[in-house]
Amino acid sequence: MNQPQEPAEPHGPSTPSTLLVIPYFDGDRGLPDRPLTGVFYYCPSIVVSGTPSRFEFTPGQPMDVTVDVVNHGAGTSVAATSVVVWWAEPTTGFATLNWFGQEVVAVPSHGAYVARTRPITGTIPAGAPNHLCLLARATALSSSLPPDTTPDPINEPHWAQFNLMAHTVAPGETGFAFSWLAGNPGGTGARYELRVRPADADALGRLTEVLEARPSAMPDMALTIEEGDGPRLAIELDGGEQRRVHLRGDLTQGLEPGTFTAVEVAQFDVTDDPEGVPVGAIGLLLRPGSD
């Protein structure tokens, strides 16, 4: 992970050679736009192809991933940049990473243009779930890695995630269930709060980029983490620990054919800040089943 000595103008007085960002949106400079807000579980710079859909994969079959990188540094050279992609089971904290692939891409300075890697081809082992998280990191080869390379796809601009899951709700049904791994990506114990909420209209609009369906906002849907804890749950995790967590939900109405709605599942570190620092998130896409 390339950590600039100081942010480039207008964020500081010095001019590092690289200021790499895997952008979540047009004009994303990494700083001061982090931590991200909004749809921080879906980075459109990570593009998947050769699969049933952009968020459903076929374990045991090869697929391609490309990653876009921009360099807002003020140097005069092109940065040779290593881009690594990992996969993981659905998680809100990347405590366990599985290697997918790596590419090197030349990224010009001053944000001249967004550079895209060549397709990174890999195969997720047979037996893995069809829905998985992808995590990417961009590192300038000319810069040494700092000792702390904890995955941080929300706060650190060299990291990004593609963390979308789909769930089918049977015709005439409104109830659904989902489970994921809450994880501690750090080396020491920490306190976390898990929070779930219905996706708002803005988030649903963004998600139509990957799901060709009409969004249906359901702000009053009932959401409960574990048994009877409501839409929030406090947990403690040792360094590197993972815990499976369960969500139950009930839509306010059935989903019509050609529509979808979504739930945002997020994990916040509340060890030193009761408001919480975001660690990771999942976008749960709810689709109607066929009769």
Side-chain angles (χ1 to χ4, degrees), residues 2 17-18 77-81 139-144:
N2 171 46
S17 60
T18 59
S77 62
V78 174
T81 300
T139 306
L141 296 179
S142 61
S143 301
S144 60

Side-chain angles (χ1 to χ4, degrees), residues 171-227:
E173 298 290 331
T174 58
F176 62 92
F178 174 68
S179 68
W180 77 97
L181 293 173
N184 179 350
T188 59
R191 291 184 289 111
Y192 297 99
E193 187 172 82
L194 305 175
R195 306 171 189 172
V196 297
R197 66 182 184 184
D200 61 20
D202 288 341
L204 292 172
R206 284 282 309 279
L207 294 173
T208 59
E209 297 174 6
V210 291
L211 193 65
E212 294 181 359
R214 301 189 312 276
S216 178
M218 297 190 189
D220 298 323
M221 75 171 73
L223 298 170
T224 301
I225 303 177
E226 302 292 5
E227 293 296 329

